[in-house]
Amino acid sequence: MRPYLITAKPGRLHRAAVQAGRWALKALALAVMAGLGAVVLTVRCARPIVNYVATRAAWLELWAASVTGIGPVGAAVGSGLTDEFIREFHRARTGAPA
């Protein structure tokens, strides 16, 4: 119990409203954490499917390249993107303040 002066003591309605506000904030925080957890779980569960689809797409591209005689474009684009990500990660890692 907080030491209030008799004239400054908050009423029951005010204290109930404060408590309701605190519990509403806690419930909102719990809902946000549960929602983020559901998103993370969905992404982690979908990862093997994404890997399988990517493997099949690469195989299909190589097959199409062998049939048509046109070189695999995805490999060239993918290697360029990978190199750029590596450069950016290295720049961010070495340039970040400690």
Side-chain angles (χ1 to χ4, degrees):
M1 196 71 186
R2 294 195 172 111
Y4 290 105
L5 294 173
I6 294 174
T7 56
K9 185 176 178 182
R12 287 185 180 171
L13 187 60
H14 183 264
R15 286 183 294 181
V18 168
Q19 283 295 104
R22 286 180 186 157
W23 280 104
L25 186 62
K26 289 179 183 181
L28 178 65
L30 182 64
V32 167
M33 287 188 288
L36 287 174
V39 168
V40 168
L41 180 65
T42 304
V43 169
R44 290 185 69 122
C45 290
R47 187 174 176 190
I49 297 167
V50 170
N51 287 344
Y52 176 77
V53 170
T55 303
R56 287 293 160 199
W59 179 85
L60 181 63
E61 183 188 16
L62 290 175
W63 173 80
S66 69
V67 169
T68 60
I70 302 170
V73 178
V77 172
S79 66
L81 285 175
T82 302
D83 292 340
E84 183 59 33
F85 279 129
I86 289 171
R87 277 194 299 274
E88 185 65 31
F89 174 72
H90 181 68
R91 192 177 313 131
R93 192 184 61 182
T94 57

